[in-house]
């Protein structure tokens, strides 16, 4: 199983990171290790030696077919379910790595850094690219996203990634986070929603 993730895919999030309305010329793709996937029902343990850890709520799609070089018009055939995931990020470390021009794997792919909720069949929805999602922490909404605001939509991302990597059944795609990211703390309770359906509940320890 491979975990693909997309950086800088919502313009308002890009603004909160560096103060500019930056739009990358191509999707910004990175990967997480398989050990980054947090097992369902397990808490997220803060790695206190890594500095500030931020939550980034995202729509995640599950790849359902083997594919390589997928045309964008056929990309919708290659995923079968959607959920909300959390791309945990060691923010202080990420800034240091970015300033040095170094890869992000350590700050994005550490153990437990990829949480996912329960899957919903995409046939449940008229169009996944019109979905609303949100993240609540301790009962207060901290992030709201709408899939239509992605700079690169789900089908375009799948087509792009499949130019370089063979997609396999069970691979995951984190599609980017909207504005509103922030630090997590011990005893926080994170709840993720697609429309009005709660798909994720996660405790921080």
């Amino acid at each position: 199983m491979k975990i693909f993730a997309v950086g800088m895919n919502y313009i308002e999030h890009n603004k909160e990171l560096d103060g500019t309305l930056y739009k990358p010329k191509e999707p910004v793709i990175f990967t997480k290790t398989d050990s980054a996937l947090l097992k369902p029902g397990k808490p997220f343990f803060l790695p206190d030696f890594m500095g500030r850890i931020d939550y980034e709520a995202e729509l995640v799609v599950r790849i359902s077919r083997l594919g390589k070089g997928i045309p964008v018009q056929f990309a919708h055939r290659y995923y079968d379910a959607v959920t909300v995931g959390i791309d945990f990020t060691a923010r202080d470390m990420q800034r240091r790595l970015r300033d040095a021009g170094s890869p992000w794997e350590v700050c994005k792919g550490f153990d437990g850094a990829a949480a996912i909720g329960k899957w919903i069949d995409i046939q449940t929805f008229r169009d996944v690219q019109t979905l609303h999602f949100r993240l609540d922490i301790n009962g207060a909404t901290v992030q709201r996203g709408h899939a239509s605001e992605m700079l690169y939509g789900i089908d375009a991302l799948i087509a792009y990634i499949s130019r370089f990597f063979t997609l396999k059944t069970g691979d995951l795609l984190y599609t980017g986070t909207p504005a509103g990211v922030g630090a997590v703390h011990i005893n926080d309770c994170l709840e993720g929603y697609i429309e009005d359906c709660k798909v994720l509940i996660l405790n921080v320890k």
Side-chain angles (χ1 to χ4, degrees):
M1 181 201 68
K2 299 183 292 299
I3 303 173
F4 298 101
V6 184
M8 297 181 284
N9 204 27
Y10 286 83
I11 201 159
E12 289 300 321
H13 171 59
N14 298 346
K15 184 178 179 181
E16 75 178 352
L17 283 183
D18 62 14
T20 66
L21 298 176
Y22 175 67
K23 179 180 179 179
K25 295 180 180 179
E26 294 181 319
V28 176
I29 306 298
F30 60 95
T31 60
K32 289 175 173 277
T33 61
D34 57 359
S35 65
L37 189 63
L38 191 63
K39 294 182 179 179
K42 298 294 184 181
F44 173 70
F45 289 96
L46 273 178
D48 54 9
F49 64 94
M50 295 184 73
R52 170 174 163 160
I53 304 296
D54 280 4
Y55 59 82
E56 297 187 6
E58 314 192 5
L59 283 181
V60 182
V61 296
R62 183 177 67 194
I63 301 300
S64 58
R65 296 174 60 182
L66 182 72
K68 173 73 174 175
I70 302 165
V72 67
Q73 64 268 32
F74 299 130
H76 66 279
R77 301 177 182 177
Y78 286 82
Y79 55 98
D80 64 354
V82 63
T83 191
V84 170
I86 308 294
D87 169 19
F88 286 109
T89 303
R91 189 68 69 199
D92 296 334
M93 184 175 290
Q94 184 189 37
R95 291 192 178 106
R96 292 197 300 270
L97 292 170
R98 288 179 66 179
D99 290 347
S102 301
W104 291 4
E105 276 78 2
V106 173
C107 68
K108 287 281 195 178
F110 57 90
D111 287 356
I116 55 171
K118 66 180 181 181
W119 295 105
I120 302 178
D121 193 303
I122 60 168
Q123 300 303 320
T124 305
F125 307 106
R126 179 177 58 85
D127 181 358
V128 294
Q129 206 64 64
T130 64
L131 292 179
H132 294 85
F133 63 101
R134 77 177 197 267
L135 178 69
D136 291 359
I137 298 183
N138 305 325
T141 299
V142 294
Q143 278 189 287
R144 293 184 184 273
H146 192 277
S148 66
E149 297 174 350
M150 293 178 186
L151 295 174
Y152 295 97
I154 295 169
D155 292 354
L157 292 171
I158 286 174
Y160 180 83
I161 292 169
S162 72
R163 291 167 56 190
F164 308 99
F165 303 95
T166 299
L167 298 180
K168 296 182 178 181
T169 301
D171 287 348
L172 305 180
L173 172 59
Y174 283 67
T175 59
T177 194
V181 303
V184 290
H185 305 92
I186 291 174
N187 296 324
D188 279 348
C189 178
L190 283 61
E191 296 174 304
Y193 294 79
I194 294 179
E195 301 297 343
D196 293 323
C197 180
K198 185 190 295 186
V199 296
L200 172 71
I201 183 166
L202 176 64
N203 294 306
V204 180
K205 300 294 185 181

